[in-house]
Every structure is written in structure tokens, then in C-alpha cells.
Amino acid sequence: MSRAELLNLFVSCPGGVEALLEQELRAVLPKGKIEALRGGCAVRAEAEGVLIINLESRLAQRVLVELIEGGYRHEDDLYALARQVDWERWITPRHTIKVDTTAHRSPLKSLNFATLRVKDAICDTLRDATGERPSVDTYAPDLPVVLHVGEERAALYVDTSGEPLFKRGWRVDKGDAPLKETLAAAMLAAAGWKGTPDTGGALHDPCCGSGTIPIEAALIASGAAPGIMRRFAFEAQLPFQPLQNRWAELKRAAQARVHAPAVPIYASDVAFRMVDFARRNAERAGVAQYIQFNGGDALERPAPQLPEGMPGTLMMNPPYGERIEVRGKAAAVREHSGSEQRDATDDFFPRLASHWKRGYTQASAGWTAWMLSPDMKLPTKMRLKESRRFPMWNGPIECRLFRFDLVAGSARAPRSEVANAEPND
Ligand SMILES: C[S@@+](CC[C@H](N)C(=O)[O-])C[C@H]1O[C@@H](n2cnc3c(N)ncnc32)[C@H](O)[C@@H]1O
């Protein structure tokens, strides 16, 4: 592969994030040809684009290079398809491989057998060329290969990321229901929050759990590249070896641009154990000094005092009552009411809204709250009218990111913004 050869990439992302990913990729790869599809973006770019997207994209899950695509009916056709690929360009027999298969309406009975046939094709191709076969490493292969089988057509990709990109390398302490880093970044991107006084201002997550939202926010606000702390599969793959110097340069430039944020970032949680986790995660991410951590019930946390004229953004995925219970004052009310049927979230959300209306409408430039929830009735529970709602998938869970404008005396949104919102479900 020459440096200037154009590659067909598929950059995957969480459902609902495709348009935001397209925008982000246009910014990090101005020369790339980019098109949003379902579940990601198709990108046509030079090999250097693979390095840049892996290093800089906050929203992408994986960067795949398409190798070949064709019709198939049974597993032998997949073997024949994979035999057409010049695997010697990608690895030597001393490298390790792993094949994963994804399917959409495939007529095949056994995806395991399909996977095996592609693995055989890679091994046979290398054995014919060199006399040796590569071995399989299911944990950290040098060449992760993805086979996608559709109804009639199949495609083979090389995964250049290795571990999915939401694994930034800083998270060790997880908590019970952590958001993926890519989804936290997508929430911030949907809000247009970029960590400056003009793009959302200060940030506060009053149910921070393991700290995903404030840590992602601090990385954005300090200009840190999301992939700077980790390794990628492409680092071992042959086509990217001539780009080693360029890779070192890209990382050096990314490190050199890191700066202190221009806005304050706050994080708190009712569980002191979670605050501890969040602080430790932030230390590993190198941004602990940019986040003010506190323990405490969200129903009691006073609004942070912001510099005159600076707006504030509340960003959170609150406890849903399924995997993560509401704790603190609202939970105590439930216990005393003696009713097993009564859900603590029934008390928590209206009280949170009243608390915000009392305390968070005073800042001169105002606060805007963004909440990710699978509960389509959240605005009703909050007794607030949302001004926007974005569909987003938290893994398999369909959610909405709701925006509430906390305006003194009124929680109603301006008409123009209601007109932009997704129609109420
Ligand atoms: C869904 S989790 C948030 C996960 C977080 N975004 C992360 O990535 O780890 C909800 C969090 O709300 C916290 N929580 C529950 N009740 C609370 C309350 N009344 N005040 C503040 N935090 C609360 C829980 O301790 C939990 O950490």
C-alpha cells in the first residue's frame, strides 16, 4: 500500500451518533470523503487518515479498512473471497490473527464455521507464500479481521483500532453502570459543549458515578487527544510501518497542544465511593487538577458560583432505578412512605427540577441541563418542558438526551428551539 493510496474505511459509532461523527470526522480529516451511514461513517482517505481518526476521534468505536466485498451463498464462497486478499501485505506468519463475524439477515446456519473458513483462508494464503501459518490470538491479535455477512453479500475488514476506541486507557475503577466514554463524548458533542465560555461554559455532573462525563469534558476542554494514552492494532500492521515517524509526530503535536481549560468543571455523587473512583480515574487521565469533585445528594448540591457572564451546562445520566437506584433524600422518602410500589425516581426527578429552578436560575448567563435517559416520560416526571431531545443508544438501550433550559420564572423553551426538537414520542 503506498502512502497516497486511498482506502475505504468504515468508522463505527454508537447508534444515533452518526451525524455527529460525520461532523467530527470532517473537522479532523478535512481532505477525507465522508458519508454518514447506519452505525457509522464511510470514509475514503489515505493511510494517514487511519492514524488520525484513531488518535483524535472522540465518537468513533473502531476504524475498519475494507479489504474486499462480494456475493456469497455458503461458507466456501467466503473462503474463496478471503483467498483473494493479499494478506502478505498486512502481516507475516509471526503476527497473530483473530477473525470476528457480524451478521445481518445472513442465511448461514453457523457463523462459527464462516469464521473458521476465513481464518483458514488467511492461514493458507500465508502458508502458500511463506511456508508458515500465523497463529490465532483471541485476546490481543495483531490483525483483528472482521467478516460481515449480509443477506447475499459479504465484506472483509481489518480492524486498525484493536481494543474499541471507548477504551481510552484511563478507566480502571468502573462503578455499577458506567457510560461508555464515546457516549459521554457524544452527549457533549450533541450539546455543542466544547469547553469554552462561548460553547456551553462551565460543566457540572451532579450524578457523576465513575466520572465519565466530567473526565471526557476535561479532556475536550484541555485539547487532549482521546487516544493519546493507548496503543492501536495498526501499530503492528505492515501497511502502517512506513508511517512510524509520522505517527510519532502526530502524537507529539497532540501532546504539545494540551492546555488548562478555560472553564471550570464540577462533579459530584451521593456515593463517596463513586467520587473516589471518579477522582482516581481522572488522575489516570491526567485531568484531576481540572475537575472539582464533591460528595453529596444532587437534591442538595448548591449551584457552583460561576464567573460573571459565564453560562453553565448540567450534563448527566441519572439513576434509572433499574441498574442504579436513586439514593439520598428521595430514597429516604420512599422508605418512610412504606409503599414498596412507590419508585424513588418518582420523588427524585420533580425534586431535582425544583432544586434546579430554585438554585440554578440565578447565574447571570443561566444553566442548561442535559439528561440521558431511557425514560421517554422524563420531562413529565421533571415537570419541565424539554427544548430538545436527541435519540441515542446506550448499548442496547434506546435513550433520549433531553435538554432543559433553566430560565428564572419559567421552564419553557423558546419557540424556535421547540420547533427543532424531535417530535414527542
Ligand atoms: C447511571 S449512574 C451514572 C454513571 C456515570 N455517568 C458513569 O459513567 O459512571 C448514576 C449515579 O447517580 C448516583 N446517584 C444516585 N442517587 C443520587 C443522588 N440522590 N444524588 C447524586 N447522585 C446520585 C449513583 O451513585 C450513580 O453513581
Side-chain angles (χ1 to χ4, degrees), residues 117-134:
R117 293 304 281 145
V118 170
K119 192 260 306 168
D120 287 344
I122 302 172
C123 291
D124 291 351
T125 308
L126 276 161
R127 193 203 46 215
D128 289 352
T130 67
E132 287 175 82
R133 298 164 64 103

Side-chain angles (χ1 to χ4, degrees), residues 47 49 51 81 93 113 177 187 190 210 250 254 260 288 315 325 334 368 401 406 410:
L51 280 47
L81 191 71
F113 189 48
M187 292 165 68
S210 59
L250 287 168
M315 180 74 62
E325 288 285 341
R334 178 180 54 164
T368 306
L401 177 65
L406 306 177
S410 157

Side-chain angles (χ1 to χ4, degrees), residues 48 136 237 383 401:
E48 184 178 309
V136 170
Q237 295 163 1
R383 296 181 200 139
L401 177 65

Side-chain angles (χ1 to χ4, degrees), residues 15-20 23 183 186-193 315 368-376 379 386-394 397-404 417 420-425:
V17 176
E18 296 87 347
L20 295 169
Q23 256 177 41
L183 192 57
M187 292 165 68
L188 292 160
W193 192 91
M315 180 74 62
T368 306
W370 295 80
M371 297 170 86
L372 183 76
S373 173
D375 184 353
M376 305 300 156
E386 82 277 20
S387 57
R388 295 203 71 173
R389 49 161 73 190
F390 286 90
M392 269 183 197
W393 289 80
N394 184 359
I397 308 170
E398 185 176 357
C399 294
R400 293 291 179 276
L401 177 65
F402 295 99
R403 172 173 131 180
F404 302 105
E417 282 167 358
N420 284 336
E422 184 201 51
N424 286 2
D425 313 11

Side-chain angles (χ1 to χ4, degrees), residues 33-155:
K33 201 165 159 275
I34 297 154
E35 186 193 354
L37 302 173
R38 200 167 150 264
C41 286
V43 177
R44 212 162 146 66
E46 293 174 12
E48 184 178 309
V50 168
L51 280 47
I52 295 174
I53 300 171
N54 273 302
L55 179 65
E56 299 287 358
S57 174
R58 299 183 193 279
L59 307 177
Q61 303 267 44
R62 292 182 182 283
V63 184
L64 306 175
V65 178
E66 187 182 302
L67 301 174
I68 195 162
E69 192 269 346
Y72 81 102
R73 295 181 69 174
H74 31 72
E75 289 85 354
D76 287 345
D77 302 328
L78 298 172
Y79 178 88
L81 191 71
R83 284 288 274 173
Q84 292 175 50
V85 175
D86 185 1
W87 296 104
E88 253 195 303
R89 283 175 91 195
W90 284 90
I91 48 166
T92 70
R94 280 173 301 287
H95 287 86
T96 54
I97 62 165
K98 180 184 180 211
V99 181
D100 278 307
T101 300
T102 61
H104 184 64
R105 297 205 184 127
S106 167
L108 292 181
K109 291 206 176 57
S110 163
L111 294 183
N112 280 345
F113 189 48
T115 306
L116 205 66
R117 293 304 281 145
V118 170
K119 192 260 306 168
D120 287 344
I122 302 172
C123 291
D124 291 351
T125 308
L126 276 161
R127 193 203 46 215
D128 289 352
T130 67
E132 287 175 82
R133 298 164 64 103
S135 39
V136 170
D137 177 349
T138 53
Y139 180 64
D142 298 317
L143 192 75
V145 173
V146 178
L147 164 69
H148 179 72
V149 281
E151 211 166 346
E152 292 175 347
R153 302 195 70 79

